Amino acid sequence: MDISAGDPDKYSYVIQDAIFEVMVMDKNLGNYYGSTEGFLDDFSVRLDEVVFSNIDNGLGVFGAYLVSSRKINVEENFVQSFGYRSRL
């Protein structure tokens, strides 16, 4: 995904920080995801496959996940290498 897709004036954009987000899955959900590798886009997991189940005599998966996010500063030199401005 481009920040300034189609806009040749990259310098009009100011990048100050970024959000780093990680999704951690438990073993059951991780096994399910690994068995299907199904996705709708870069950010979605499709959960309609009948390939893996951890429920006796049933279809489906019981699992948990945690999403952790952190705001991080982006180095000025890194931002400028793409033609953007930085407020740092």
Side-chain angles (χ1 to χ4, degrees), residues 4-57:
S4 57
D7 188 354
D9 185 18
K10 309 287 188 208
Y11 196 74
S12 65
Y13 295 84
V14 176
I15 309 297
Q16 184 172 346
D17 47 43
I19 304 291
F20 181 71
E21 190 169 271
V22 176
M23 182 193 309
V24 180
M25 299 179 202
D26 74 353
K27 183 179 180 195
N28 293 315
L29 190 55
N31 286 341
Y32 173 78
Y33 179 71
S35 72
T36 63
E37 296 184 38
F39 57 90
L40 302 173
D41 57 36
D42 291 342
F43 308 105
S44 302
V45 177
R46 186 176 59 229
L47 297 176
D48 60 356
E49 301 283 333
V50 186
V51 177
F52 178 86
S53 178
N54 65 344
I55 301 171
D56 291 335
N57 300 319

Side-chain angles (χ1 to χ4, degrees), residues 74-87:
V74 181
E75 291 281 333
E76 185 175 1
N77 291 339
F78 183 70
V79 171
Q80 290 175 351
S81 72
F82 293 100
Y84 302 118
R85 289 185 296 147
S86 175
R87 283 202 181 128

